Amino acid sequence: MMNPRVKSVIANEDYTLSITFGNGETKTFNMTPYLAFGVFGELKDKNYFRQVVPFMGTIAWPHGQDICPDTLYIEGK
C-alpha cells in the first residue's frame, strides 16, 4: 500500500515543514539535515525556503528541489 500524498505544506522559520497529507494527518518534517547537501543548499535562504509548494503528491521548490513523499510521511513527526 502506498503512503498518503501531500495535500498542503507550510514552511516554518526553523527549517521545518508542516505538511498535511491526503488522509488528513499532519506531520512536521525537519529539513535542517538536508541543507548541507548539494541542491538543497539553496534552501538556506529563508525567502527561497518559503517558496515550497505541494507538487504532484509531494513538495517542490521553484528550482526543482523535492523530497520523496514516502520520506516525508515516514520520517515526519
Side-chain angles (χ1 to χ4, degrees):
M1 184 177 138
M2 242 173 40
N3 287 313
R5 296 305 184 224
V6 174
K7 186 173 160 188
S8 67
V9 60
I10 298 168
N12 302 308
E13 285 297 312
D14 61 354
Y15 294 110
T16 62
L17 300 167
S18 297
I19 302 169
T20 302
F21 292 89
N23 66 355
E25 281 186 75
T26 301
K27 296 191 177 205
T28 300
F29 187 82
N30 184 3
M31 284 296 299
T32 306
Y34 293 82
L35 300 178
F37 296 99
V39 297
F40 294 112
E42 190 173 13
L43 303 181
K44 291 177 191 169
D45 175 341
K46 288 197 175 181
N47 289 323
Y48 184 72
F49 183 74
R50 285 192 286 269
Q51 294 179 46
V52 66
V53 294
F55 180 73
M56 296 182 68
T58 189
I59 60 169
W61 283 268
H63 299 159
Q65 298 94 335
D66 62 4
I67 305 263
C68 172
D70 292 328
T71 300
L72 296 172
Y73 187 77
I74 294 165
E75 295 183 12
K77 306 286 183 226

